[in-house]
């Protein structure tokens, strides 16, 4: 089991390392979107601190959206996805490995760069710490939920737009509690624990159901 | 033993074939014939479980392939229109991933030997996107040497191959059938067999 999981994970990471632009575009998209707001809104620190968490989360949502289309598309085109459907392994395990690789390539870089983009919004150190933690718990949920949409829209014309219409509404809870945790952390005496508890619960639910739903969607898409 | 009962497949509103019955026991090669669009690929994909038939049932060793699931896929090797190899990965990497996913532990030397036998000695370490169309196909076909699957389903395996590769592929299929395997394939060429039996299936009118 673990051998197969690791096999797919390292395969996808190797592929990404041999075609680095795909990874970098997501990251630069995130950085640029986040940087646009201070330029447009102005440098008043009060205003920036209020919009900061929300903007960072919306940018993370859009960046992970952008990367989703590629999750299965390349494997679909060269037929390797079809071969995965025909292996003697549970498809949801292979899907989970692909999602894990996708998160390592598109989600984790966002978490790591968050302190840099947070500085533009003059967020306090503690708020930046909370933001990194919230992104660390939240971005895997984005990859997991997004995988279902990517599998459903596979091979459709104009699938990208449809994918965003399907998936963005499902991202709303993550946005609300993710940004909420950072906002609350800026207030004294406030407790961020409930926000993390909810994000954690979302993550666990997504971990259980998303691979199964994605594999069912893939089987439909490949008929 | 692969049994097909009363199979009917549709593509949209068009009925491709109906009431299709056949069974393949070990040591049999089935040659599916038919014009373009007669449903050859659909039939092969249905046999793999990739396409859901409108009606009918497919059984492997007496059990429905829907229920067998992964157990059936362990015995199955499908070769479709796409090669199913990654252009960014080398032939070695492609084959070792395919073997791992099939649940086989294959030594790296075995993969080197397979690539050598299929005529790709010296190309093992190149990303397969650098190879020609025929060479890519050879990488994909090297899986036939490594696999332990009992049932081979091959969709047009001979296209884009040169004379040597066609001869090698015919030998591989003949060996597989001679050792009790089953193969179902579509091709516009004749495949000679020295032992075992050839079944012909004609689709369409």
């Amino acid at each position: 089991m673990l051998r197969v999981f690791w096999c797919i994970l390292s395969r996808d990471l190797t592929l990404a390392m041999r075609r680095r632009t795909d990874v970098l575009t997501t990251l630069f998209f995130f950085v640029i979107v986040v940087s646009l707001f201070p330029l447009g809104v102005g440098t008043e620190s009060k205003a920036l601190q209020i919009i900061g968490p929300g903007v960072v989360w919306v940018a993370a949502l859009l960046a992970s959206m952008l990367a989703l289309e590629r999750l299965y598309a390349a494997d679909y085109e060269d037929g390797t996805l079809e071969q995965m459907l025909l292996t003697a392994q549970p498809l949801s395990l292979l899907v989970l490995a692909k999602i894990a690789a996708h998160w390592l390539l598109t989600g984790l870089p966002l978490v790591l760069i968050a302190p840099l983009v947070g500085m533009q919004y003059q967020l306090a150190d503690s708020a930046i710490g909370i933001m990194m933690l919230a992104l660390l718990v939240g971005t895997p949920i984005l990859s997991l939920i997004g995988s279902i949409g990517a599998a459903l829209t596979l091979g459709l014309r104009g699938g990208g737009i449809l994918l965003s219409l399907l998936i963005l509404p499902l991202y709303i809870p993550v946005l609300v509690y993710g940004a909420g945790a950072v906002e609350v952390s800026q207030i004294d005496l406030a407790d961020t624990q409930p926000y993390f508890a909810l994000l954690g619960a979302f993550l666990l639910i997504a971990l259980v159901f998303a691979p199964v739903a994605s594999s069912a969607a893939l089987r439909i898409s490949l008929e | 033993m692969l049994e097909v009962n009363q199979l009917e497949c549709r593509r949209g509103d068009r009925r491709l074939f109906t009431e299709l019955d056949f069974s393949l026991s070990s040591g049999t090669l089935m040659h599916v014939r038919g014009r373009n669009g007669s449903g050859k690929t659909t039939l092969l994909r249905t046999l793999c479980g990739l396409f859901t038939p409108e009606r009918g049932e497919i059984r492997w060793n007496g059990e429905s392939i829907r229920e067998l699931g992964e157990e059936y896929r362990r015995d199955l090797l499908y070769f479709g229109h796409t090669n199913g190899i990654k252009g960014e990965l080398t032939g070695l990497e492609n084959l070792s991933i395919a073997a791992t996913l099939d649940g086989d532990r294959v030594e790296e030397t075995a993969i080197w030997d397979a690539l050598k036998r299929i005529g790709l000695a010296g190309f093992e370490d190149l990303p397969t996107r650098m190879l020609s169309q025929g060479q890519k196909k050879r990488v994909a076909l090297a899986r036939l040497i490594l696999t332990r699957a009992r049932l081979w389903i091959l969709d047009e395996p001979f296209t884009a191959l040169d004379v040597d590769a066609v001869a090698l592929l015919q030998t591989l299929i003949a060996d597989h059938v001679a050792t009790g395997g089953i193969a179902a394939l579509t091709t516009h060429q004749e495949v000679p067999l020295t032992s075992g039996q050839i079944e012909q299936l004609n689709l369409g009118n």
Side-chain angles (χ1 to χ4, degrees):
Chain A
M1 279 287 245
L2 210 62
R3 214 166 75 92
V4 173
F5 183 86
W6 178 245
C7 171
I8 292 288
L9 186 69
S10 61
R11 163 191 182 271
D12 276 17
L13 294 180
T14 314
L15 284 173
M17 284 306 118
R18 295 195 187 159
R19 207 172 35 187
R20 283 191 203 90
T21 45
D22 285 359
V23 181
L24 292 177
T25 42
T26 315
L27 189 60
F28 280 120
F29 177 83
F30 176 70
V31 172
I32 288 172
V33 170
V34 172
S35 309
L36 285 177
F37 281 82
L39 296 175
V41 174
T43 52
E44 213 213 310
S45 63
K46 269 276 178 295
L48 286 178
Q49 279 169 3
I50 291 170
I51 63 164
V55 169
V56 171
W57 266 97
V58 170
L61 250 57
L62 295 176
S64 90
M65 248 336 302
L66 200 69
L68 270 181
E69 264 184 277
R70 288 194 305 268
L71 180 53
Y72 298 114
D75 286 354
Y76 175 68
E77 274 155 28
D78 59 24
T80 42
L81 191 62
E82 196 171 67
Q83 291 296 339
M84 276 185 211
L85 258 66
L86 293 173
T87 57
Q89 313 298 336
L91 183 59
S92 40
L93 179 73
L94 308 183
V95 163
L96 188 63
K98 280 192 75 66
I99 297 172
H102 184 260
W103 177 75
L104 286 174
L105 293 165
T106 63
L108 192 60
L110 305 189
V111 179
L112 297 177
I113 205 144
L116 271 181
V117 299
M119 273 158 57
Q120 299 181 65
Y121 291 88
Q122 305 183 17
L123 295 177
D125 290 351
S126 62
I128 286 178
I130 294 288
M131 185 161 78
M132 284 181 79
L133 202 57
L135 282 171
L136 190 66
V137 184
T139 45
I141 312 176
L142 304 182
S143 295
L144 284 161
I145 297 177
S147 142
I148 305 173
L152 273 175
T153 56
L154 196 62
L156 295 183
R157 231 183 314 152
I161 306 277
L162 189 60
L163 178 63
S164 35
L165 290 179
L166 274 174
I167 290 305
L168 280 178
L170 297 176
Y171 279 176
I172 291 173
V174 184
L175 171 68
V176 170
Y177 293 104
V182 188
E183 258 158 48
V184 161
S185 75
Q186 293 175 324
I187 308 165
D188 290 338
L189 296 172
D191 189 3
T192 54
Q193 203 193 348
Y195 291 89
F196 281 108
L198 276 166
L199 279 178
F202 289 146
L203 178 59
L204 289 179
I205 293 173
L207 261 178
V208 172
F209 289 108
V212 180
S214 303
S215 14
L218 282 178
R219 289 202 188 278
I220 295 169
S221 290
L222 261 82
E223 272 222 338
Chain B
M1 172 91 152
L2 185 76
E3 292 164 278
V4 169
N5 292 322
Q6 297 288 306
L7 199 68
E8 175 177 328
C9 281
R10 283 167 183 273
R11 273 282 186 195
D13 283 340
R14 208 161 68 87
R15 188 196 284 160
L16 291 169
F17 46 80
T18 181
E19 292 178 3
L20 193 65
D21 286 297
F22 60 84
S23 73
L24 303 172
S25 48
S26 60
T28 311
L29 172 85
M30 182 172 73
H31 187 172
V32 184
R33 293 160 172 276
R35 285 177 309 184
N36 295 134
S38 57
K40 300 188 291 292
T41 296
T42 306
L43 173 63
L44 294 191
R45 288 176 64 88
T46 311
L47 291 182
C48 293
L50 283 172
F51 188 82
T52 316
E54 193 73 18
R55 215 167 279 135
E57 198 182 21
I58 303 165
R59 289 166 167 277
W60 175 245
N61 295 336
E63 282 186 72
S64 159
I65 61 165
R66 291 267 153 212
E67 279 154 38
L68 280 175
E70 281 136 29
E71 246 175 278
Y72 173 60
R73 293 197 283 276
R74 197 181 300 279
D75 285 336
L76 172 79
L77 185 139
Y78 172 66
F79 184 83
H81 284 248
T82 47
N83 291 328
I85 56 169
K86 283 297 220 195
E88 288 86 358
L89 300 179
T90 66
L92 276 176
E93 289 167 331
N94 268 303
L95 290 173
S96 99
I97 289 168
T100 309
L101 291 185
D102 284 339
D104 297 338
R105 282 177 192 273
V106 176
E107 296 289 323
E108 197 171 316
T109 48
I111 302 178
W112 282 91
D113 290 344
L115 282 167
K116 197 171 154 196
R117 186 166 172 209
I118 206 103
L120 288 171
F123 295 99
E124 299 95 341
D125 277 336
L126 273 182
T128 52
R129 73 187 142 82
M130 317 272 247
L131 303 178
S132 77
Q133 207 58 38
Q135 286 174 318
K136 281 181 200 155
K137 191 132 191 174
R138 284 176 185 231
V139 174
L141 287 171
R143 287 178 54 213
L144 296 181
I145 300 175
L146 296 167
T147 185
R148 275 183 287 174
R150 304 266 295 108
L151 173 63
W152 291 5
I153 295 183
L154 312 170
D155 196 354
E156 300 280 1
F158 294 106
T159 50
L161 291 179
D162 61 21
V163 182
D164 291 345
V166 168
L168 175 63
L169 183 53
Q170 287 183 338
T171 317
L172 286 175
I173 295 172
D175 287 351
H176 175 65
V177 173
T179 53
I182 303 174
L185 58 85
T186 64
T187 175
H188 298 288
Q189 274 154 299
E190 291 301 328
V191 189
L193 275 190
T194 46
S195 64
Q197 49 179 343
I198 302 189
E199 300 236 353
Q200 304 279 352
L201 179 73
N202 287 300
L203 291 179
N205 302 312

